[in-house]
Amino acid sequence: MRIYKTKDYEDMSRKAANVISAQVITKPDCVLGLATGSTPIGTYKQLIERYQNGDLDFSEVKSVNLDEYKGLPKDHDQSYYYFMYTNLFKDINIDLDNTNIPNGMEPDSDKECDRYNKVIESMGGVDLQILGLGHNGHIGFNEPEEVFEKLTHCVDLTESTIEANKRFFASADDVPRQAYTMGIKTIMQAKKILLVVSGEDKAAILRDALCGPITPQVPASILQLHNDVIVVADEAALSLMD
Ligand code: GLP
C-alpha cells in the first residue's frame, strides 16, 4: 500500500487525477471503477480540465460505478447517475453506452444485482477502482456488517450514512433507505485501487481502515489485503496516523 500525503483537498484532487490519468494513458480502453460522494468531485474536475487541454482521451474508456440509491430515477438530482453525468460524463468524451451504474429503479433486487454482476464480468473486471471512504468505514455502500458481502447486493443504509448524506436532500426523510452496491469481492478484484480521503472528520476512520483489525465492521479495512492500493489523502485525513 502506498500512501501519498497531500497538503490539502486541491492537492489531493490533482494527485488522484495523476493516478487516473496514468491509467487512461497507459491503457486507453481500460475499465474504471468510479465513485460518487463529495471527495472525488475535485478529482473529476481535474480530469475534465486535462481532457479539455487535449491531454486525456476517454473515447475508449469503459466505466462501472460502485453504487446507486434504490428508488431514485436517473434524472433525480441526488441519483448517482445524475451525479456522474453532471460531475464528469457530460464534460468528457466518454461514450455513455460504455458507462454503467446500477439501475435504482429496478424493484427486483435479485434481478438487478445479477444483471450488474454480469455487466462487470463481461467487461473483464476493473483496472482501476476509485473509492471514497464513508464516516463509518463504508466503501461503495458496503456498510459495517457481520460478514463481507461478496457481490452486488441491496443494502439497508445505516442511520449514520442517512445522517451523513441528508445534507444533499431536503430532509433526512427524503434519503432513500436502500441502495445497490458492488460487493467487497468485486472491489478487491480490481487490479489497482485508489482511495481518496480528505478532512479531519475522516482521520479516525482512515486510521482504523489502514491500521486497525481487518473486519467487516470497518469494510475499508479489507483493503489492507489488496496488493496494489494507492491512498491519496490530505494532511487532515492522515493526522491520526503515526
Ligand atoms: C457515500 C457513497 C460512497 C462515498 C461515501 C463518502 O455514501 N456511497 O461511495 O465514498 O459516502 O462520501 P463523501 O466523499 O461525501 O464523504
PDB file of all heavy atoms in Angstrom, residues 181-197:
ATOM      1  N   THR A 181     -25.167  -1.872  -4.261  1.00  0.00           N
ATOM      2  CA  THR A 181     -23.725  -1.611  -4.255  1.00  0.00           C
ATOM      3  C   THR A 181     -22.926  -2.806  -4.751  1.00  0.00           C
ATOM      4  O   THR A 181     -23.311  -3.953  -4.533  1.00  0.00           O
ATOM      5  CB  THR A 181     -23.230  -1.222  -2.832  1.00  0.00           C
ATOM      6  OG1 THR A 181     -21.837  -0.877  -2.920  1.00  0.00           O
ATOM      7  CG2 THR A 181     -23.384  -2.358  -1.826  1.00  0.00           C
ATOM      8  N   MET A 182     -21.857  -2.507  -5.408  1.00  0.00           N
ATOM      9  CA  MET A 182     -20.872  -3.514  -5.787  1.00  0.00           C
ATOM     10  C   MET A 182     -20.389  -4.161  -4.479  1.00  0.00           C
ATOM     11  O   MET A 182     -20.289  -3.480  -3.456  1.00  0.00           O
ATOM     12  CB  MET A 182     -19.701  -2.769  -6.440  1.00  0.00           C
ATOM     13  CG  MET A 182     -18.850  -3.545  -7.372  1.00  0.00           C
ATOM     14  SD  MET A 182     -17.437  -2.519  -7.876  1.00  0.00           S
ATOM     15  CE  MET A 182     -17.985  -1.787  -9.371  1.00  0.00           C
ATOM     16  N   GLY A 183     -20.092  -5.440  -4.526  1.00  0.00           N
ATOM     17  CA  GLY A 183     -19.656  -6.116  -3.302  1.00  0.00           C
ATOM     18  C   GLY A 183     -18.154  -6.029  -3.073  1.00  0.00           C
ATOM     19  O   GLY A 183     -17.398  -5.553  -3.920  1.00  0.00           O
ATOM     20  N   ILE A 184     -17.751  -6.504  -1.912  1.00  0.00           N
ATOM     21  CA  ILE A 184     -16.348  -6.415  -1.489  1.00  0.00           C
ATOM     22  C   ILE A 184     -15.432  -7.273  -2.370  1.00  0.00           C
ATOM     23  O   ILE A 184     -14.321  -6.866  -2.711  1.00  0.00           O
ATOM     24  CB  ILE A 184     -16.242  -6.846  -0.003  1.00  0.00           C
ATOM     25  CG1 ILE A 184     -16.944  -5.817   0.906  1.00  0.00           C
ATOM     26  CG2 ILE A 184     -14.799  -7.064   0.406  1.00  0.00           C
ATOM     27  CD1 ILE A 184     -16.261  -4.470   0.995  1.00  0.00           C
ATOM     28  N   LYS A 185     -15.912  -8.440  -2.771  1.00  0.00           N
ATOM     29  CA  LYS A 185     -15.060  -9.298  -3.601  1.00  0.00           C
ATOM     30  C   LYS A 185     -14.766  -8.614  -4.937  1.00  0.00           C
ATOM     31  O   LYS A 185     -13.629  -8.606  -5.402  1.00  0.00           O
ATOM     32  CB  LYS A 185     -15.766 -10.643  -3.851  1.00  0.00           C
ATOM     33  CG  LYS A 185     -14.951 -11.607  -4.679  1.00  0.00           C
ATOM     34  CD  LYS A 185     -15.668 -12.938  -4.817  1.00  0.00           C
ATOM     35  CE  LYS A 185     -14.934 -13.857  -5.780  1.00  0.00           C
ATOM     36  NZ  LYS A 185     -15.727 -15.066  -6.065  1.00  0.00           N
ATOM     37  N   THR A 186     -15.807  -8.013  -5.526  1.00  0.00           N
ATOM     38  CA  THR A 186     -15.620  -7.331  -6.814  1.00  0.00           C
ATOM     39  C   THR A 186     -14.645  -6.165  -6.651  1.00  0.00           C
ATOM     40  O   THR A 186     -13.743  -5.970  -7.477  1.00  0.00           O
ATOM     41  CB  THR A 186     -16.979  -6.828  -7.353  1.00  0.00           C
ATOM     42  OG1 THR A 186     -17.898  -7.914  -7.317  1.00  0.00           O
ATOM     43  CG2 THR A 186     -16.859  -6.294  -8.755  1.00  0.00           C
ATOM     44  N   ILE A 187     -14.814  -5.399  -5.585  1.00  0.00           N
ATOM     45  CA  ILE A 187     -13.902  -4.270  -5.348  1.00  0.00           C
ATOM     46  C   ILE A 187     -12.468  -4.799  -5.208  1.00  0.00           C
ATOM     47  O   ILE A 187     -11.529  -4.274  -5.805  1.00  0.00           O
ATOM     48  CB  ILE A 187     -14.324  -3.479  -4.082  1.00  0.00           C
ATOM     49  CG1 ILE A 187     -15.654  -2.760  -4.331  1.00  0.00           C
ATOM     50  CG2 ILE A 187     -13.233  -2.485  -3.672  1.00  0.00           C
ATOM     51  CD1 ILE A 187     -16.259  -2.088  -3.106  1.00  0.00           C
ATOM     52  N   MET A 188     -12.319  -5.877  -4.455  1.00  0.00           N
ATOM     53  CA  MET A 188     -10.983  -6.429  -4.207  1.00  0.00           C
ATOM     54  C   MET A 188     -10.362  -7.069  -5.444  1.00  0.00           C
ATOM     55  O   MET A 188      -9.160  -7.292  -5.494  1.00  0.00           O
ATOM     56  CB  MET A 188     -11.057  -7.453  -3.068  1.00  0.00           C
ATOM     57  CG  MET A 188     -11.272  -6.817  -1.712  1.00  0.00           C
ATOM     58  SD  MET A 188      -9.881  -5.790  -1.203  1.00  0.00           S
ATOM     59  CE  MET A 188      -8.740  -7.064  -0.664  1.00  0.00           C
ATOM     60  N   GLN A 189     -11.211  -7.393  -6.436  1.00  0.00           N
ATOM     61  CA  GLN A 189     -10.670  -7.985  -7.662  1.00  0.00           C
ATOM     62  C   GLN A 189     -10.153  -6.926  -8.636  1.00  0.00           C
ATOM     63  O   GLN A 189      -9.563  -7.272  -9.660  1.00  0.00           O
ATOM     64  CB  GLN A 189     -11.733  -8.848  -8.344  1.00  0.00           C
ATOM     65  CG  GLN A 189     -11.841 -10.219  -7.672  1.00  0.00           C
ATOM     66  CD  GLN A 189     -12.971 -11.055  -8.236  1.00  0.00           C
ATOM     67  OE1 GLN A 189     -13.940 -10.523  -8.766  1.00  0.00           O
ATOM     68  NE2 GLN A 189     -12.860 -12.356  -8.105  1.00  0.00           N
ATOM     69  N   ALA A 190     -10.386  -5.657  -8.336  1.00  0.00           N
ATOM     70  CA  ALA A 190      -9.837  -4.603  -9.205  1.00  0.00           C
ATOM     71  C   ALA A 190      -8.318  -4.738  -9.196  1.00  0.00           C
ATOM     72  O   ALA A 190      -7.719  -5.030  -8.153  1.00  0.00           O
ATOM     73  CB  ALA A 190     -10.256  -3.230  -8.685  1.00  0.00           C
ATOM     74  N   LYS A 191      -7.716  -4.497 -10.358  1.00  0.00           N
ATOM     75  CA  LYS A 191      -6.254  -4.677 -10.424  1.00  0.00           C
ATOM     76  C   LYS A 191      -5.548  -3.646  -9.539  1.00  0.00           C
ATOM     77  O   LYS A 191      -4.550  -3.940  -8.906  1.00  0.00           O
ATOM     78  CB  LYS A 191      -5.779  -4.548 -11.871  1.00  0.00           C
ATOM     79  CG  LYS A 191      -6.303  -5.691 -12.731  1.00  0.00           C
ATOM     80  CD  LYS A 191      -5.655  -5.701 -14.116  1.00  0.00           C
ATOM     81  CE  LYS A 191      -6.309  -6.741 -14.995  1.00  0.00           C
ATOM     82  NZ  LYS A 191      -7.493  -6.223 -15.733  1.00  0.00           N
ATOM     83  N   LYS A 192      -6.095  -2.432  -9.537  1.00  0.00           N
ATOM     84  CA  LYS A 192      -5.493  -1.359  -8.741  1.00  0.00           C
ATOM     85  C   LYS A 192      -6.619  -0.589  -8.064  1.00  0.00           C
ATOM     86  O   LYS A 192      -7.698  -0.451  -8.653  1.00  0.00           O
ATOM     87  CB  LYS A 192      -4.705  -0.439  -9.686  1.00  0.00           C
ATOM     88  CG  LYS A 192      -3.813   0.578  -9.013  1.00  0.00           C
ATOM     89  CD  LYS A 192      -3.226   1.544 -10.047  1.00  0.00           C
ATOM     90  CE  LYS A 192      -1.960   1.057 -10.710  1.00  0.00           C
ATOM     91  NZ  LYS A 192      -0.789   1.025  -9.849  1.00  0.00           N
ATOM     92  N   ILE A 193      -6.361  -0.121  -6.859  1.00  0.00           N
ATOM     93  CA  ILE A 193      -7.387   0.638  -6.125  1.00  0.00           C
ATOM     94  C   ILE A 193      -6.810   1.990  -5.712  1.00  0.00           C
ATOM     95  O   ILE A 193      -5.671   2.073  -5.241  1.00  0.00           O
ATOM     96  CB  ILE A 193      -7.862  -0.155  -4.880  1.00  0.00           C
ATOM     97  CG1 ILE A 193      -8.628  -1.411  -5.333  1.00  0.00           C
ATOM     98  CG2 ILE A 193      -8.732   0.717  -3.966  1.00  0.00           C
ATOM     99  CD1 ILE A 193      -9.114  -2.308  -4.221  1.00  0.00           C
ATOM    100  N   LEU A 194      -7.600   3.023  -5.903  1.00  0.00           N
ATOM    101  CA  LEU A 194      -7.208   4.379  -5.495  1.00  0.00           C
ATOM    102  C   LEU A 194      -8.222   4.861  -4.463  1.00  0.00           C
ATOM    103  O   LEU A 194      -9.401   5.038  -4.781  1.00  0.00           O
ATOM    104  CB  LEU A 194      -7.230   5.300  -6.735  1.00  0.00           C
ATOM    105  CG  LEU A 194      -7.127   6.801  -6.479  1.00  0.00           C
ATOM    106  CD1 LEU A 194      -5.779   7.171  -5.856  1.00  0.00           C
ATOM    107  CD2 LEU A 194      -7.313   7.573  -7.798  1.00  0.00           C
ATOM    108  N   LEU A 195      -7.750   5.039  -3.239  1.00  0.00           N
ATOM    109  CA  LEU A 195      -8.633   5.525  -2.165  1.00  0.00           C
ATOM    110  C   LEU A 195      -8.346   7.007  -1.942  1.00  0.00           C
ATOM    111  O   LEU A 195      -7.200   7.382  -1.676  1.00  0.00           O
ATOM    112  CB  LEU A 195      -8.364   4.725  -0.884  1.00  0.00           C
ATOM    113  CG  LEU A 195      -9.136   5.134   0.373  1.00  0.00           C
ATOM    114  CD1 LEU A 195     -10.625   4.785   0.249  1.00  0.00           C
ATOM    115  CD2 LEU A 195      -8.563   4.445   1.618  1.00  0.00           C
ATOM    116  N   VAL A 196      -9.369   7.830  -2.067  1.00  0.00           N
ATOM    117  CA  VAL A 196      -9.183   9.270  -1.839  1.00  0.00           C
ATOM    118  C   VAL A 196      -9.926   9.686  -0.563  1.00  0.00           C
ATOM    119  O   VAL A 196     -11.089   9.330  -0.381  1.00  0.00           O
ATOM    120  CB  VAL A 196      -9.672  10.128  -3.044  1.00  0.00           C
ATOM    121  CG1 VAL A 196      -8.696  10.050  -4.190  1.00  0.00           C
ATOM    122  CG2 VAL A 196     -11.071   9.748  -3.512  1.00  0.00           C
ATOM    123  N   VAL A 197      -9.207  10.409   0.287  1.00  0.00           N
ATOM    124  CA  VAL A 197      -9.800  10.788   1.573  1.00  0.00           C
ATOM    125  C   VAL A 197      -9.357  12.203   1.936  1.00  0.00           C
ATOM    126  O   VAL A 197      -8.189  12.553   1.791  1.00  0.00           O
ATOM    127  CB  VAL A 197      -9.372   9.823   2.716  1.00  0.00           C
ATOM    128  CG1 VAL A 197     -10.237  10.038   3.950  1.00  0.00           C
ATOM    129  CG2 VAL A 197      -9.440   8.366   2.282  1.00  0.00           C
TER     130      VAL A 197
END
